[in-house]
C-alpha cells in the first residue's frame, strides 16, 4: 500500500510558495504520479485569479502522460466555473485513476461536489491524508469561508516573565535580530498589519506591509512620522472632526466604549473591503482587549531568555481582572521553534 504522506508534505511546501499572493484564495499544491507511481509533475496556485494547483501541474504534461496515474492535492479539486474551469473536469479528461486529498473544500460552491464529480467518473478518491496539517495551512481561508470573518493573528515579543517593556518603556531590544527577521516573514503572510498610536509614538516603526491599520482614537500621530511614509493606511478613530491627511491615508470611524475603539466593528469593515487576515503588532492594551473579546485566532509569541522581574514592567496582555485561574483564556500550542537565543511559540485559540 502506497503511502501518500510524503507527497502531501510536498504539496504543502509547494502551496506555501503562494503565501502572501493568493489571498483570499487558499494555498494549494499538487503532485502528479504516473501509472507506475513515478512523480511526473508538480504545481501550485501562484497568484489570486491564476490557475489552480491541479491545472498548473497537469498543463505541464502531455495529454496522455497522467493516464492511469495519481494526483495528490491538499484541497478537494474544485467543481465550479470560477476564474478557471473546474479542476475536477480536467482530472477526469486526463484519465487519472486516483486522487488523494488532505481536506474537503469548505467553500460551499465546492464542498463535496468535486469529490462526487471524480467518483462519478470512476476515479478512486482517498481523503484525509495529513488533514490536520492541511487545515492549519489554510486556517485563514477556513475562517473566512465558515464564519465570514477576518482572521486575526497577534504577535508579541516578551521576556520570560511575559513583559514587553520596563516601567519606563524601554524595550529595544527584547529579542534578537534573527527573531525580528522572522517577524517580517510572518507579517508578509497577512493582508494588513494593525497597530496603535501608542506603539507608533513609542517605537516609530515602519511596518513593511501594503496595507496598514492604525488605531488612533484621539488622532495623536503626526503624518510626518516614518510609519506614514509607505503603504495604504487606514487611521481608525472615533473623532469626526478629521484633519487633512496625505493621499495614502483614509479615516475609518468606529464607535468607542470605555475609551476603547470597537475593534470588532473595525474587523467587520476590513473584511467587507476584501481583506482576509490581519497581523496585530501592538502593546498590552490592544492585545489584552483582543484576548478578552476572544478575537485573536492565533498568537505568535517570541520569548527571550531575559527576566525583568519588576511588577511595574509592561505586560504583553493587560487589562483583564480575574480571580480564578479557571477564568484564563486558553490556547493550544501549534509549534515551538528555536531562533537562538529566543524561541517562537505559535498558538491557536481553543
Ligand atoms: C484556488 N487555488 O489551487 C484551488 C482552489 O476564484 P477562483 O475561481 O479561482 O476559485 C477559487 C475557489 O476554488 C476557492 O475558493 C476554492 O474553493 C477552490 N480551489 N482555489 O484559488 C487552487 N484548488
Ligand atoms: Zn480548481
Amino acid at each position: 500500500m502506497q503511502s501518500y504522506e510524503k507527497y502531501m508534505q510536498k504539496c504543502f511546501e509547494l502551496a506555501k510558495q503562494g503565501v502572501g499572493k493568493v489571498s483570499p484564495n487558499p494555498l494549494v499544491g499538487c503532485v502528479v504520479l504516473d501509472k507506475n507511481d513515478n512523480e511526473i509533475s508538480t504545481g501550485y496556485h501562484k497568484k489570486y485569479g491564476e490557475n489552480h494547483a491541479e491545472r498548473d501541474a497537469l498543463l505541464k504534461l502531455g495529454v496522455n502522460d497522467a493516464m492511469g496515474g495519481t494526483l495528490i492535492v491538499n484541497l478537494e479539486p474544485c467543481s465550479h466555473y470560477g476564474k478557471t474551469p473546474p479542476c475536477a473536469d480536467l482530472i477526469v479528461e486526463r484519465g487519472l485513476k486516483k486522487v488523494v486529498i488532505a481536506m474537503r473544500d469548505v467553500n460551499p460552491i465546492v464542498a463535496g461536489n468535486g469529490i462526487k464529480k471524480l467518483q462519478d467518473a470512476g476515479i478512486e478518491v482517498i481523503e484525509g491524508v495529513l488533514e490536520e496539517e492541511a487545515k492549519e495551512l489554510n486556517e485563514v481561508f477556513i475562517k473566512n469561508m465558515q464564519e465570514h470573518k477576518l482572521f486575526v493573528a497577534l504577535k508579541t515579543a516578551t521576556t520570560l516573565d511575559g513583559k514587553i517593556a520596563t516601567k519606563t518603556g524601554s524595550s529595544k531590544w527584547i529579542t534578537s535580530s534573527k527573531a525580528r527577521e522572522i517577524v517580517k516573514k510572518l507579517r508578509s503572510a497577512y493582508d494588513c498589519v494593525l497597530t496603535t498610536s501608542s506603539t507608533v509614538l513609542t517605537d516609530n516603526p515602519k511596518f513593511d506591509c501594503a496595507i496598514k491599520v492604525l488605531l488612533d482614537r484621539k488622532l495623536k500621530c503626526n503624518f510626518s512620522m516614518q510609519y506614514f511614509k509607505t503603504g495604504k493606511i487606514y487611521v481608525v478613530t472615533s473623532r469626526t472632526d478629521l484633519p487633512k491627511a496625505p493621499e495614502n491615508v483614509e479615516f475609518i470611524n468606529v464607535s468607542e466604549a470605555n475609551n476603547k475603539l470597537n475593534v470588532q466593528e473595525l474587523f467587520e469593515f476590513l473584511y467587507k473591503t476584501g481583506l482576509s487576515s490581519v497581523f496585530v503588532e501592538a502593546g498590552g492594551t490592544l492585545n489584552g482587549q483582543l484576548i478578552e473579546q476572544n478575537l485573536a485566532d492565533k498568537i505568535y509569541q517570541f520569548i527571550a531568555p531575559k527576566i525583568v522581574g519588576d511588577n511595574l514592567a509592561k505586560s504583553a496582555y493587560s487589562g483583564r481582572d480575574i480571580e480564578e485561574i479557571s477564568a484564563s483564556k486558553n490556547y493550544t500550542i501549534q509549534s515551538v521553534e528555536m531562533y537562538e537565543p529566543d524561541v517562537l511559540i505559535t498558538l491557536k485559540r481553543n
Side-chain angles (χ1 to χ4, degrees):
M1 156 83 186
Q2 166 79 292
S3 164
Y4 295 106
E5 294 194 356
K6 80 168 186 200
Y7 293 114
M8 195 57 82
Q9 198 62 52
K10 185 159 183 174
C11 290
F12 298 156
E13 296 314 314
L14 288 159
K16 283 180 195 161
Q17 295 183 58
V19 167
K21 293 175 236 152
V22 304
S23 171
N25 276 349
L27 295 163
V28 189
C30 176
V31 175
V32 182
L33 311 181
D34 69 8
K35 59 180 186 306
N36 301 316
D37 283 336
N38 296 313
E39 183 178 319
I40 49 170
S41 186
T42 62
Y44 70 99
H45 186 49
K46 297 188 175 66
K47 199 165 169 241
Y48 176 73
E50 292 187 0
N51 280 343
H52 291 178
E54 306 91 312
R55 184 166 299 274
D56 183 48
L58 288 172
L59 294 186
K60 290 175 187 168
L61 296 169
V63 283
N64 294 321
D65 293 353
M67 197 75 80
T70 300
L71 180 140
I72 300 115
V73 61
N74 58 294
L75 185 73
E76 170 184 3
C78 69
S79 50
H80 69 295
Y81 283 86
K83 295 190 183 60
T84 51
C87 293
D89 290 357
L90 183 64
I91 295 169
V92 173
E93 267 167 50
R94 291 297 177 99
L96 285 112
K97 78 165 191 307
K98 197 188 284 184
V99 171
V100 180
I101 66 175
M103 62 174 280
R104 287 196 171 212
D105 195 345
V106 288
N107 182 347
I109 331 172
V110 182
N113 296 326
I115 293 176
K116 184 160 186 309
K117 244 187 188 185
L118 298 170
Q119 286 171 336
D120 286 350
I123 297 174
E124 181 191 353
V125 177
I126 298 177
E127 287 189 59
V129 175
L130 300 184
E131 185 164 6
E132 280 313 302
E133 292 85 342
K135 286 183 171 165
E136 197 175 314
L137 178 71
N138 274 311
E139 59 194 355
V140 172
F141 176 68
I142 293 172
K143 182 170 188 199
N144 293 167
M145 280 291 161
Q146 291 185 330
E147 299 177 39
H148 307 287
K149 282 186 180 155
L150 193 72
F151 185 93
V152 181
L154 180 163
K155 170 248 135 187
T156 187
T158 73
T159 61
L160 273 182
D161 47 340
K163 304 300 182 188
I164 52 171
T166 66
K167 62 186 166 205
T168 64
S170 160
S171 65
K172 284 191 170 122
W173 295 101
I174 291 173
T175 48
S176 70
S177 55
K178 174 73 193 158
R180 301 201 307 274
E181 275 308 303
I182 302 295
V183 170
K184 283 193 191 158
K185 205 174 136 214
L186 294 174
R187 187 190 295 139
S188 70
Y190 293 87
D191 290 347
C192 61
V193 58
L194 170 66
T195 193
T196 66
S197 53
S198 26
T199 299
V200 170
L201 291 169
T202 41
D203 296 346
N204 192 19
K206 186 154 145 245
F207 286 153
D208 275 322
C209 192
I211 301 177
K212 307 199 270 193
V213 187
L214 175 68
L215 297 185
D216 192 359
R217 195 165 63 92
K218 298 193 207 143
L219 299 179
K220 283 194 283 196
C221 292
N222 186 319
F223 295 132
S224 65
M225 298 184 79
Q226 139 164 290
Y227 173 84
F228 294 95
K229 301 283 181 232
T230 58
K232 148 112 198 165
I233 298 163
Y234 289 110
V235 174
V236 190
T237 177
S238 57
R239 267 177 59 167
T240 46
D241 53 326
L242 301 172
K244 230 183 114 46
E247 266 195 352
N248 61 332
V249 171
E250 189 179 314
F251 292 105
I252 303 175
N253 268 124
V254 301
S255 63
E256 66 167 58
N258 306 321
N259 299 331
K260 284 191 175 122
L261 290 165
N262 185 331
V263 281
Q264 216 152 338
E265 215 176 293
L266 169 67
F267 292 163
E268 279 162 24
F269 171 89
L270 294 174
Y271 189 69
K272 278 198 200 115
T273 68
L275 299 174
S276 302
S277 63
V278 60
F279 190 69
V280 183
E281 294 188 72
T285 310
L286 178 60
N287 290 351
Q289 184 183 354
L290 295 174
I291 299 301
E292 174 62 28
Q293 298 179 8
N294 300 322
L295 291 173
D297 297 299
K298 191 177 187 90
I299 296 176
Y300 297 102
Q301 183 153 348
F302 289 87
I303 303 179
K306 292 184 169 80
I307 297 172
V308 180
D310 176 348
N311 54 14
L312 292 178
K314 299 186 192 330
S315 296
Y317 312 95
S318 58
R320 298 192 74 219
D321 182 12
I322 63 165
E323 293 188 357
E324 297 300 325
I325 198 69
S326 57
S328 304
K329 296 293 186 180
N330 296 313
Y331 282 75
T332 299
I333 297 176
Q334 291 181 301
S335 67
V336 179
E337 291 155 82
M338 185 88 199
Y339 294 109
E340 295 248 14
D342 309 312
V343 293
L344 166 60
I345 306 190
T346 304
L347 311 103
K348 69 169 179 193
R349 184 157 48 86
N350 278 9

